[in-house]
């Protein structure tokens, strides 16, 4: 069965520093992978997605993620953190049948001035 | 440009009371979902629908019922509310292809006392 593991429930970075949020997946078929962002008191918003077209995926707000099959990873990065990036981030994988998406537990990003 | 609309946004119920949460989408999406979000547990799928008139159980369906009589609406019902159902509920919709991400509503915060 498909599953997603996000390493670290909380990550804290200084403004201007590199952001790295880790995600590892388990899938019995070629996966479709997603990152979502949730700002306080809002619903989730799609940040980027991997659908096998390219291993390096660029998303909104300067975020990108790289699909590494050998490591079963899909880590999210941003070169320079901004205060407005403070939010919770969810990695997700589509299930085998393609009807449902399985979400990780989330990583809350704190950005220090 | 409404997207996914959830009503109500907040509700307090007494144990044993019933209520219905309404989700409406204006994007002509085939698939619709109800998730609950609890601290440290990510999003857990309650029920979902892959088209008008269809419903299916997700990961945590007990105590909930759903209906999809019209394509644009997906209703979540609690027949006899319990304190364990205190949560934030999110509705989402998606096109009928696995490489599309979800569009989420802004959530309903439900407290059962």
């Amino acid at each position: 069965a498909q599953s997603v593991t996000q390493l670290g429930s909380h990550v804290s970075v200084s403004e201007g520093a590199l952001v790295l949020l880790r995600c590892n997946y388990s899938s019995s078929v070629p996966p479709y992978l997603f990152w979502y962002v949730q700002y306080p008191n809002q619903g989730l918003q799609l940040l980027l997605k991997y659908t096998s077209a390219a291993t390096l995926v660029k998303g909104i707000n300067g975020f990108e993620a790289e699909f590494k099959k050998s490591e079963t990873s899909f880590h999210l990065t941003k070169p320079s953190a901004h205060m407005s990036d403070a939010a919770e981030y969810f990695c997700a994988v589509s299930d085998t049948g393609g009807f449902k998406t399985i979400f990780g537990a989330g990583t809350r990003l704190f950005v220090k001035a | 440009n409404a997207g996914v609309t959830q009503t109500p946004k907040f509700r307090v119920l007494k144990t044993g009371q019933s209520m219905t949460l309404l989700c409406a989408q204006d994007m002509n999406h085939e698939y619709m979902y109800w998730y609950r979000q609890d601290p440290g547990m990510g999003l857990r799928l309650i029920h979902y629908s892959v088209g008008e008139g269809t419903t299916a159980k997700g990961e945590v369906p007990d105590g909930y019922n759903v209906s999809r009589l019209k394509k644009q609406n997906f209703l979540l019902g609690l027949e006899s509310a319990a304190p364990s159902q205190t949560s934030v509920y999110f509705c989402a919709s998606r096109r009928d292809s696995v490489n599309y991400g979800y569009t989420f509503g802004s959530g309903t915060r439900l407290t059962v006392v």
Side-chain angles (χ1 to χ4, degrees), chain A residues 32 34 36 38 41-46 49-51 88 90 94-95 97-106, chain B residues 31 33 35 37 40-43 45 48 50 57-58 90 94 97-107 109:
Chain A
Y32 290 90
F34 307 85
Y36 289 83
Q38 184 180 31
N41 300 313
Q42 295 186 24
L44 279 71
Q45 177 184 353
L46 182 65
K49 61 184 179 182
Y50 167 76
T51 59
E88 189 155 21
F90 293 91
S94 283
D95 76 332
F99 297 127
K100 298 174 287 181
T101 297
I102 297 146
F103 289 84
Chain B
Y31 294 2
Y33 306 83
Y35 285 89
Q37 183 178 31
M41 303 188 75
L43 278 80
L45 182 63
Y48 65 102
V50 298
K57 293 181 179 180
F90 286 100
R94 199 196 79 184
S97 176
V98 69
N99 61 340
Y100 287 97
Y102 288 0
T103 300
F104 279 86
S106 58
R109 186 172 295 275

Side-chain angles (χ1 to χ4, degrees), chain B residues 1-78:
Chain B
N1 194 24
V4 176
T5 302
Q6 292 183 234
T7 53
K9 295 190 182 306
F10 302 92
R11 185 73 186 269
V12 178
L13 283 181
K14 294 183 178 179
T15 297
Q17 286 185 321
S18 63
M19 78 164 294
T20 299
L21 283 66
L22 172 63
C23 176
Q25 54 95 3
D26 62 359
M27 299 168 286
N28 203 36
H29 286 174
E30 287 293 332
Y31 294 2
M32 297 188 74
Y33 306 83
W34 277 106
Y35 285 89
R36 61 178 289 174
Q37 183 178 31
D38 301 291
M41 303 188 75
L43 278 80
R44 292 182 292 170
L45 182 63
I46 305 170
H47 286 280
Y48 65 102
S49 168
V50 298
E52 181 178 313
T54 74
T55 62
K57 293 181 179 180
E59 181 185 356
V60 289
D62 294 342
Y64 305 95
N65 57 75
V66 288
S67 64
R68 182 112 180 257
L69 299 179
K70 293 183 178 181
K71 186 177 184 179
Q72 63 268 32
N73 296 335
F74 195 30
L75 279 63
L76 178 70
L78 285 73

